[in-house]
Amino acid sequence: MRLLFASVWLASLLTSVLAGMPDKIYGVNLGSWLVLESWMLPQGWLDMGGQSCQNCQDCIATEHAFAKAYPETVDEKFAQHWETWFTQDHVSELKAAGINTVRIPLGYWIIEALVDPSHEAYPKGGLKYLRQGLGWLKDAGISVILDHHALPGVQSANQQFTGNCTDTPQFYTPYNYHRALVWTSVMTALTHMDPNFGSVFSIEAVNEPTMNATQTPGYGDFQKNFVQVVRTIELIIGIPGIDLNLGLNPDADILGLGLGTNFTAALGSVADAAAAALNPEVQLALADAVPIILEIATECGLESIFTLLDFMDTKRDPIVTSFMDVNWQYNNPSNPADAKIGPQGYDNHLYYSFGGVADSNPEAYLISICNLNRIQNDAKLGNTPLWFGEWGLPTQFNATDAFLYKWADAQKYAYSQGAGWIFWNFKTEISALTNGTSLARQWSYLEALKMGFLTQNPAQLNDADVCKPYIGKTYTSTTMNAVLTSAASTSTGPAAPAATTAVTATAADKTTGSESSGAPQNTGSAPTETSANGTLPTGTPLTKAPKMRKALQAHRHSGGHYF
């Protein structure tokens, strides 16, 4: 019976229609929904039973710490959060605001079989809410990127967004690479199988890996294996246009499966035909995913859907595999473009509020953003199309409302020169702990929309000429020299920038220091420390250790191609 069910499942993969990538992405992140970051809902987190601390290792500040502290009630508490943080009403608001894309941060633990109970603990039941939310988004016609935001073993140190705050990331090991590939296998299968996943067009491999490439051994191989996992499943199920260059006959039986062939047998057919070309780790990941997929299908009540579908219908597109762009890392990183097979996109995150990008004043910000050169630099390395998957309105200085109108317009203008943009975040908490709307004013799309900083039509600007006064303008930095000098003295490898005092941005040549090589590792997640930085009052609960932030400001981008 189990083998027959597997064959029905595999056959059903041929029926769903995968939404394509929008011509121009206008999106928001659904942050703190299925990967909770407590700085975005400080009062809500305390009400759940969490704690607030400067260093997220020191208290119950993450999902992992919460599950360890409250093993009997963690699932109930998080179910309440999942039900209320993102709802059908939010979908309606986003649709009315012209949003055509959402990026959904996910932890590996949403596939519960991947959690190692010997030392890991996370809330269970999130997949139910993901499926529900995806159904709403599909009905609204909103496209989706599934973002692997929190990886097995943790991919970046001391970050709430990894789900487990630790200073010793362990993702870059064979064991955890394997678990991530199994997760990818399951998500690829669900994207092509489950009707609720019908608007998913992309799966992002890793959110914000450690920036220093010398600390991410094997990451380049993982990138290639990630793509091969996605494409092998699509090859098996008959997605048109998939070619792994494995010497397979496109008319072979594996591309015209009948109900007598189960998934394991189909995968075995591909592996046997391509044993010399297909990475053994890819084969193992696919094999280990099969029982997990079958279990999920049973739990989600998808059997009847499988048996009713015409499994020979293959009219849909392949998934757009996506990665953080090559310039996210320094010290001779692997280039994700080398892993490309089929459609692929690239993601960059840019937050000025953490320093290292431009001097802390309005003019420097606008000169920098209006002469942004990341899209061009990435394209030279094959990283195109590029979208900006995280950005916001926070600053290092007290930003007036008048400036935030310009700041929103200028960023939208710059990012729209590429594939588009995805704002972090769709909402944040508004409470006494966030000083009313002080947090939401610069981090919540829906609140900034109400305040008028963002336009009702995301393709439009309040001032279409916002960048006109700044294109080609030169400014002399008073602080960036220190950052660049430190970067040049501490970095090894050919990507280290040279120190400079005069920072020039022109329309013809925008490669000398108008921006940094990527957002700092504490991106997408935290307000700056005090009211002097223009976001929250002193004493507001924070998640990023000050010593971590200061070190990153001086060193993190030392090898970036963007300088």
Side-chain angles (χ1 to χ4, degrees), residues 71-130:
E72 301 300 322
T73 59
V74 57
D75 296 346
E76 177 186 356
K77 291 289 186 180
F78 270 82
Q80 293 172 358
H81 168 72
W82 296 328
E83 286 178 355
T84 55
W85 185 252
F86 175 64
T87 67
Q88 174 69 74
D89 288 343
H90 291 122
V91 176
S92 298
E93 285 187 80
L94 295 174
K95 180 68 174 179
I99 293 299
N100 64 16
T101 303
V102 298
R103 179 174 177 260
I104 304 181
L106 299 173
Y108 77 93
W109 58 89
I110 201 166
I111 307 301
E112 295 167 11
L114 295 177
V115 176
D116 186 341
S118 68
H119 63 282
E120 296 173 341
Y122 291 94
K124 298 177 181 178
L127 185 60
K128 168 187 172 182
Y129 295 93
L130 173 62

Coordinates of all heavy atoms in Angstrom, one line a residue, residues 71-130:
P71 N 9.0 22.8 27.4 CA 8.7 21.7 26.5 C 7.2 21.3 26.5 O 6.8 20.7 25.5 CB 9.6 20.6 27.0 CG 9.9 21.0 28.5 CD 9.9 22.4 28.5
E72 N 6.5 21.5 27.5 CA 5.1 21.1 27.6 C 4.2 22.0 27.0 O 3.1 21.6 26.6 CB 4.7 20.9 29.1 CG 5.6 19.9 29.9 CD 5.5 18.5 29.3 OE1 4.5 18.1 28.8 OE2 6.6 17.8 29.3
T73 N 4.5 23.3 26.8 CA 3.6 24.3 26.3 C 4.0 25.0 25.0 O 3.3 25.8 24.5 CB 3.3 25.3 27.4 OG1 4.5 26.0 27.8 CG2 2.7 24.7 28.6
V74 N 5.2 24.7 24.6 CA 5.8 25.4 23.4 C 4.9 25.3 22.2 O 4.7 26.3 21.5 CB 7.2 24.9 23.1 CG1 7.3 23.4 22.8 CG2 7.8 25.7 21.9
D75 N 4.4 24.1 21.9 CA 3.6 24.0 20.7 C 2.3 24.8 20.8 O 1.9 25.5 19.8 CB 3.2 22.5 20.5 CG 4.5 21.7 20.2 OD1 5.5 22.2 19.9 OD2 4.3 20.4 20.3
E76 N 1.7 24.8 21.9 CA 0.4 25.6 22.1 C 0.7 27.1 22.0 O 0.0 27.8 21.3 CB -0.2 25.3 23.5 CG -1.4 26.1 23.8 CD -1.9 25.9 25.2 OE1 -1.3 25.0 25.9 OE2 -2.9 26.5 25.6
K77 N 1.8 27.6 22.6 CA 2.1 29.0 22.6 C 2.4 29.4 21.2 O 1.9 30.5 20.7 CB 3.3 29.3 23.5 CG 3.0 29.1 25.0 CD 2.1 30.2 25.5 CE 2.0 30.1 27.0 NZ 1.1 31.2 27.5
F78 N 3.1 28.6 20.4 CA 3.5 29.1 19.1 C 2.3 28.9 18.1 O 2.2 29.7 17.2 CB 4.7 28.3 18.6 CG 6.0 29.0 18.9 CD1 6.5 28.9 20.2 CD2 6.6 29.8 18.0 CE1 7.7 29.5 20.5 CE2 7.8 30.5 18.3 CZ 8.3 30.3 19.6
A79 N 1.4 28.0 18.4 CA 0.2 27.9 17.5 C -0.6 29.2 17.6 O -1.1 29.7 16.6 CB -0.6 26.7 17.9
Q80 N -0.7 29.7 18.9 CA -1.4 30.9 19.0 C -0.7 32.1 18.3 O -1.4 32.9 17.7 CB -1.5 31.3 20.5 CG -2.3 30.3 21.3 CD -2.2 30.5 22.9 OE1 -1.5 31.4 23.3 NE2 -2.9 29.7 23.6
H81 N 0.6 32.1 18.3 CA 1.3 33.1 17.6 C 1.1 33.0 16.1 O 0.9 34.0 15.4 CB 2.8 33.0 17.9 CG 3.7 33.8 17.0 ND1 3.7 35.2 17.1 CD2 4.5 33.5 16.0 CE1 4.6 35.7 16.2 NE2 5.1 34.6 15.5
W82 N 1.3 31.8 15.6 CA 1.1 31.5 14.1 C -0.3 31.9 13.6 O -0.4 32.4 12.5 CB 1.4 30.1 13.8 CG 2.8 29.6 14.1 CD1 3.9 30.4 14.0 CD2 3.2 28.4 14.5 NE1 5.0 29.7 14.3 CE2 4.7 28.4 14.6 CE3 2.6 27.1 14.8 CZ2 5.4 27.3 15.0 CZ3 3.3 26.0 15.2 CH2 4.7 26.1 15.3
E83 N -1.3 31.7 14.5 CA -2.7 32.0 14.1 C -2.9 33.5 14.0 O -3.8 34.0 13.3 CB -3.6 31.4 15.1 CG -3.8 29.9 15.0 CD -4.7 29.3 16.0 OE1 -5.2 30.1 16.9 OE2 -5.0 28.1 16.0
T84 N -2.2 34.3 14.7 CA -2.5 35.7 14.9 C -1.5 36.7 14.2 O -1.9 37.8 13.8 CB -2.6 36.1 16.4 OG1 -1.4 35.8 17.0 CG2 -3.8 35.4 17.0
W85 N -0.2 36.3 14.1 CA 0.8 37.2 13.5 C 0.5 37.5 12.0 O 0.7 38.6 11.6 CB 2.2 36.6 13.7 CG 3.3 37.6 13.3 CD1 4.1 37.4 12.2 CD2 3.7 38.8 14.0 NE1 5.0 38.5 12.2 CE2 4.8 39.3 13.2 CE3 3.2 39.4 15.1 CZ2 5.4 40.5 13.6 CZ3 3.9 40.6 15.5 CH2 4.9 41.1 14.7
F86 N 0.1 36.4 11.3 CA -0.2 36.6 9.9 C -1.5 36.0 9.6 O -1.7 34.8 9.9 CB 0.9 36.0 9.0 CG 0.6 36.0 7.5 CD1 0.5 37.2 6.9 CD2 0.4 34.8 6.8 CE1 0.2 37.2 5.5 CE2 0.2 34.8 5.5 CZ 0.1 36.0 4.8
T87 N -2.5 36.8 9.0 CA -3.8 36.3 8.9 C -4.4 36.6 7.5 O -3.7 37.3 6.7 CB -4.8 37.0 9.9 OG1 -4.8 38.4 9.6 CG2 -4.2 36.8 11.3
Q88 N -5.5 36.2 7.2 CA -6.2 36.5 5.9 C -6.4 38.0 5.7 O -6.3 38.5 4.6 CB -7.6 35.8 5.9 CG -8.4 36.1 4.7 CD -7.8 35.6 3.4 OE1 -7.9 34.4 3.1 NE2 -7.3 36.4 2.5
D89 N -6.6 38.7 6.8 CA -6.8 40.1 6.7 C -5.5 40.8 6.2 O -5.5 41.8 5.5 CB -7.2 40.7 8.1 CG -8.6 40.4 8.5 OD1 -9.4 40.0 7.5 OD2 -9.0 40.5 9.6
H90 N -4.4 40.3 6.7 CA -3.1 40.8 6.2 C -2.9 40.6 4.7 O -2.4 41.5 4.0 CB -1.9 40.2 7.0 CG -1.8 40.6 8.4 ND1 -1.9 39.7 9.4 CD2 -1.8 41.8 9.0 CE1 -1.8 40.3 10.6 NE2 -1.7 41.6 10.3
V91 N -3.3 39.4 4.3 CA -3.2 39.1 2.8 C -4.1 40.1 2.0 O -3.6 40.7 1.0 CB -3.7 37.7 2.5 CG1 -3.7 37.4 1.0 CG2 -2.8 36.7 3.2
S92 N -5.3 40.4 2.6 CA -6.1 41.4 1.9 C -5.5 42.8 1.9 O -5.6 43.5 0.8 CB -7.5 41.4 2.6 OG -8.1 40.2 2.5
E93 N -4.9 43.2 3.0 CA -4.2 44.5 3.0 C -3.0 44.5 2.0 O -2.8 45.5 1.3 CB -3.6 44.7 4.4 CG -4.7 45.1 5.5 CD -4.0 45.5 6.8 OE1 -3.5 46.6 6.9 OE2 -4.0 44.6 7.7
L94 N -2.3 43.5 1.9 CA -1.1 43.4 1.0 C -1.6 43.5 -0.4 O -1.0 44.1 -1.3 CB -0.2 42.2 1.3 CG 0.4 42.2 2.7 CD1 1.1 40.8 2.9 CD2 1.4 43.3 2.9
K95 N -2.6 42.7 -0.7 CA -3.2 42.7 -2.0 C -3.6 44.1 -2.4 O -3.4 44.6 -3.5 CB -4.3 41.7 -2.1 CG -5.0 41.6 -3.5 CD -4.1 41.0 -4.5 CE -4.8 40.8 -5.8 NZ -3.9 40.2 -6.9
A96 N -4.4 44.8 -1.5 CA -4.9 46.1 -1.8 C -3.7 47.1 -2.0 O -3.9 48.1 -2.7 CB -5.8 46.6 -0.7
A97 N -2.6 46.8 -1.3 CA -1.4 47.7 -1.4 C -0.6 47.5 -2.7 O 0.5 48.1 -2.9 CB -0.6 47.6 -0.2
G98 N -1.0 46.5 -3.5 CA -0.3 46.3 -4.7 C 0.9 45.3 -4.6 O 1.7 45.2 -5.6
I99 N 1.1 44.7 -3.5 CA 2.2 43.7 -3.3 C 1.9 42.5 -4.1 O 0.8 41.9 -4.1 CB 2.3 43.4 -1.8 CG1 2.7 44.6 -1.0 CG2 3.2 42.2 -1.6 CD1 4.1 45.1 -1.3
N100 N 2.9 42.1 -4.9 CA 2.8 40.9 -5.7 C 3.6 39.7 -5.3 O 3.6 38.7 -5.9 CB 3.1 41.3 -7.2 CG 4.5 41.7 -7.5 OD1 5.4 41.5 -6.6 ND2 4.8 42.3 -8.6
T101 N 4.5 39.9 -4.3 CA 5.4 38.9 -3.8 C 5.6 38.9 -2.3 O 5.6 40.0 -1.8 CB 6.8 39.0 -4.5 OG1 6.6 39.0 -5.9 CG2 7.7 37.9 -4.1
V102 N 5.6 37.8 -1.7 CA 6.1 37.7 -0.3 C 7.2 36.7 -0.2 O 7.2 35.7 -0.9 CB 4.9 37.3 0.7 CG1 3.8 38.3 0.7 CG2 4.4 35.9 0.4
R103 N 8.1 37.0 0.6 CA 9.2 36.1 1.0 C 8.9 35.5 2.4 O 8.7 36.3 3.3 CB 10.6 36.8 1.0 CG 11.8 36.0 1.3 CD 13.0 36.9 1.1 NE 14.3 36.3 1.4 CZ 15.0 36.6 2.6 NH1 14.4 37.4 3.5 NH2 16.1 36.0 2.8
I104 N 8.9 34.2 2.5 CA 8.5 33.6 3.8 C 9.7 33.0 4.4 O 10.2 32.0 4.0 CB 7.4 32.6 3.6 CG1 6.2 33.2 2.9 CG2 7.0 32.0 5.0 CD1 5.0 32.2 2.7
P105 N 10.2 33.6 5.5 CA 11.3 33.0 6.2 C 10.9 31.7 6.9 O 9.9 31.7 7.6 CB 11.7 34.0 7.3 CG 11.2 35.3 6.7 CD 9.9 34.9 6.0
L106 N 11.7 30.6 6.7 CA 11.3 29.3 7.3 C 12.5 28.7 8.0 O 13.7 28.9 7.6 CB 10.9 28.3 6.2 CG 9.6 28.7 5.4 CD1 9.5 27.7 4.2 CD2 8.4 28.7 6.3
G107 N 12.3 28.0 9.1 CA 13.3 27.2 9.7 C 13.3 25.8 9.3 O 12.3 25.3 8.8
Y108 N 14.5 25.2 9.4 CA 14.5 23.8 8.9 C 13.6 22.9 9.7 O 13.1 21.9 9.3 CB 16.0 23.2 9.0 CG 16.4 22.9 10.4 CD1 16.3 21.6 11.0 CD2 17.0 23.9 11.3 CE1 16.7 21.3 12.3 CE2 17.4 23.6 12.6 CZ 17.2 22.3 13.0 OH 17.6 22.0 14.3
W109 N 13.2 23.3 11.0 CA 12.4 22.5 11.9 C 10.9 22.5 11.4 O 10.2 21.8 12.0 CB 12.5 23.1 13.3 CG 12.2 24.5 13.5 CD1 10.9 25.0 13.7 CD2 13.1 25.6 13.4 NE1 11.0 26.4 13.8 CE2 12.3 26.8 13.6 CE3 14.4 25.8 13.2 CZ2 12.9 28.1 13.6 CZ3 15.0 27.0 13.2 CH2 14.2 28.2 13.4
I110 N 10.6 23.3 10.4 CA 9.2 23.1 9.9 C 9.0 21.7 9.3 O 7.9 21.2 9.3 CB 8.9 24.2 8.9 CG1 7.3 24.4 8.8 CG2 9.5 24.0 7.5 CD1 6.9 25.7 8.1
I111 N 10.1 21.1 8.9 CA 10.1 19.7 8.6 C 10.6 18.9 9.8 O 11.8 18.8 10.1 CB 11.0 19.4 7.4 CG1 10.6 20.3 6.2 CG2 10.9 17.9 7.0 CD1 9.2 20.1 5.7
E112 N 9.6 18.5 10.6 CA 9.9 18.1 12.0 C 10.8 16.9 12.1 O 11.6 16.7 13.0 CB 8.6 17.8 12.7 CG 7.8 19.1 12.9 CD 6.4 18.9 13.4 OE1 6.1 17.7 13.8 OE2 5.6 19.8 13.4
A113 N 10.8 16.0 11.0 CA 11.6 14.8 11.0 C 13.1 15.2 11.0 O 14.0 14.3 11.3 CB 11.3 13.9 9.8
L114 N 13.5 16.4 10.6 CA 14.9 16.8 10.5 C 15.5 17.3 11.8 O 16.7 17.4 11.9 CB 15.0 17.9 9.5 CG 14.7 17.5 8.0 CD1 14.8 18.8 7.1 CD2 15.6 16.4 7.5
V115 N 14.6 17.5 12.8 CA 15.1 17.9 14.1 C 15.7 16.7 14.9 O 15.1 15.7 15.0 CB 14.0 18.5 15.0 CG1 14.5 18.9 16.4 CG2 13.4 19.7 14.2
D116 N 16.9 16.9 15.4 CA 17.6 15.9 16.2 C 17.3 16.1 17.6 O 17.8 17.0 18.3 CB 19.1 16.0 16.0 CG 19.9 14.9 16.6 OD1 19.4 14.2 17.5 OD2 21.1 14.7 16.2
P117 N 16.4 15.2 18.2 CA 15.9 15.4 19.6 C 17.0 15.2 20.6 O 16.8 15.6 21.8 CB 14.8 14.4 19.7 CG 15.2 13.3 18.7 CD 15.8 14.0 17.5
S118 N 18.2 14.7 20.2 CA 19.2 14.5 21.2 C 19.8 15.9 21.7 O 20.3 15.9 22.8 CB 20.4 13.7 20.6 OG 21.1 14.4 19.6
H119 N 19.6 16.9 20.9 CA 20.1 18.2 21.3 C 19.4 19.4 20.8 O 19.7 20.5 21.0 CB 21.6 18.3 21.0 CG 21.9 18.3 19.5 ND1 21.9 17.2 18.8 CD2 22.2 19.3 18.7 CE1 22.2 17.5 17.5 NE2 22.4 18.8 17.4
E120 N 18.3 19.1 20.0 CA 17.6 20.2 19.4 C 16.1 20.2 19.8 O 15.5 19.1 20.0 CB 17.6 20.1 17.8 CG 19.1 20.3 17.3 CD 19.2 20.0 15.8 OE1 18.3 19.4 15.2 OE2 20.1 20.5 15.2
A121 N 15.5 21.3 19.9 CA 14.1 21.4 20.3 C 13.5 22.7 19.7 O 14.1 23.8 19.8 CB 13.9 21.5 21.8
Y122 N 12.4 22.5 19.0 CA 11.7 23.6 18.4 C 10.2 23.4 18.4 O 9.7 22.2 18.6 CB 12.1 23.7 16.9 CG 13.5 24.2 16.7 CD1 14.6 23.3 16.6 CD2 13.8 25.6 16.7 CE1 15.9 23.7 16.4 CE2 15.2 26.0 16.6 CZ 16.2 25.1 16.5 OH 17.5 25.5 16.3
P123 N 9.4 24.4 18.3 CA 7.9 24.2 18.2 C 7.5 23.4 17.1 O 8.1 23.5 16.0 CB 7.4 25.6 18.1 CG 8.5 26.5 17.6 CD 9.7 25.8 18.1
K124 N 6.5 22.6 17.2 CA 6.0 21.7 16.2 C 4.6 22.2 15.7 O 3.9 22.8 16.4 CB 5.8 20.3 16.7 CG 7.1 19.6 17.2 CD 6.9 18.2 17.8 CE 8.2 17.6 18.3 NZ 8.0 16.3 18.9
G125 N 4.3 21.9 14.5 CA 3.0 22.2 13.9 C 3.0 23.4 12.9 O 1.9 23.7 12.4
G126 N 4.2 23.9 12.6 CA 4.2 25.1 11.7 C 3.8 24.8 10.3 O 3.3 25.7 9.6
L127 N 4.0 23.6 9.8 CA 3.7 23.3 8.4 C 2.2 23.5 8.1 O 1.8 24.0 7.1 CB 4.1 21.9 8.1 CG 3.9 21.5 6.6 CD1 4.7 22.3 5.7 CD2 4.3 20.0 6.4
K128 N 1.3 23.2 9.1 CA -0.1 23.4 8.9 C -0.4 24.9 8.6 O -1.2 25.2 7.7 CB -0.8 23.0 10.2 CG -2.3 23.4 10.3 CD -2.9 23.1 11.7 CE -4.3 23.7 11.8 NZ -4.8 23.5 13.2
Y129 N 0.3 25.8 9.3 CA 0.0 27.2 9.2 C 0.7 27.7 7.9 O 0.1 28.7 7.2 CB 0.5 28.0 10.4 CG -0.3 27.6 11.6 CD1 0.1 26.6 12.5 CD2 -1.6 28.2 11.9 CE1 -0.7 26.2 13.6 CE2 -2.3 27.8 13.0 CZ -1.9 26.8 13.8 OH -2.7 26.5 14.9
L130 N 1.8 27.2 7.5 CA 2.4 27.5 6.2 C 1.5 27.2 5.1 O 1.2 28.0 4.2 CB 3.8 26.8 6.1 CG 4.4 27.0 4.7 CD1 4.7 28.4 4.4 CD2 5.7 26.1 4.6

